[in-house]
Amino acid sequence: MYTSLVILIAVVACTAAAPADEPIPIVSQNQEGPNPDGSYKWSYETGNGIKANEEGHLEEVGTDNEAMKAEGGFSYSSDDGQAISLTYVADKNGFQPVGAHLPTTPEIPPLILKALEWNAAHPSKEDENQV
């Protein structure tokens, strides 16, 4: 009995581990670099419509502020068919994505803004004692 149970579990595990879908082909792929100056460029497109690209280079070379800067983007279709597109810059100021699907901070309601301005103009005694 235990032998047939072990065989059944092994068959189920092998079936679950088998790939469910065919591999997605890469339609195009380009790569330049890394070059001696640190610059590079790459892009690709897959058979299911995913596209991505990025370019990078060093900025302020030879200074204390030398930093890598990368700019790129990608696009794909979400599970519900919505077109998702994102562009970005990544540099000494961090990763800065831009995309219509990204959440944004709502505006501060006018009454809250007025209260914050009043608080800043009229600090409490406790605030005055803090350094």
Side-chain angles (χ1 to χ4, degrees), residues 24-103:
I24 298 168
I26 296 178
V27 176
S28 67
Q29 180 177 7
N30 297 304
Q31 181 174 342
E32 297 176 23
N35 299 311
D37 65 354
S39 65
Y40 67 92
K41 184 178 187 177
W42 58 260
S43 66
Y44 68 85
E45 181 177 353
T46 63
N48 63 352
I50 297 172
K51 295 179 185 178
N53 64 67
E54 184 174 290
E55 285 186 48
H57 64 276
L58 282 173
E59 289 192 325
E60 301 184 42
V61 178
T63 70
D64 289 341
N65 295 326
E66 184 175 285
M68 192 70 179
K69 180 177 183 176
E71 296 180 73
F74 57 86
S75 63
Y76 63 94
S77 293
S78 67
D79 291 338
D80 63 357
Q82 177 185 1
I84 303 293
S85 181
L86 183 126
T87 59
Y88 60 87
V89 172
D91 60 12
K92 61 185 173 187
N93 298 316
F95 181 72
Q96 303 145 52
V98 176
H101 65 289
L102 297 176

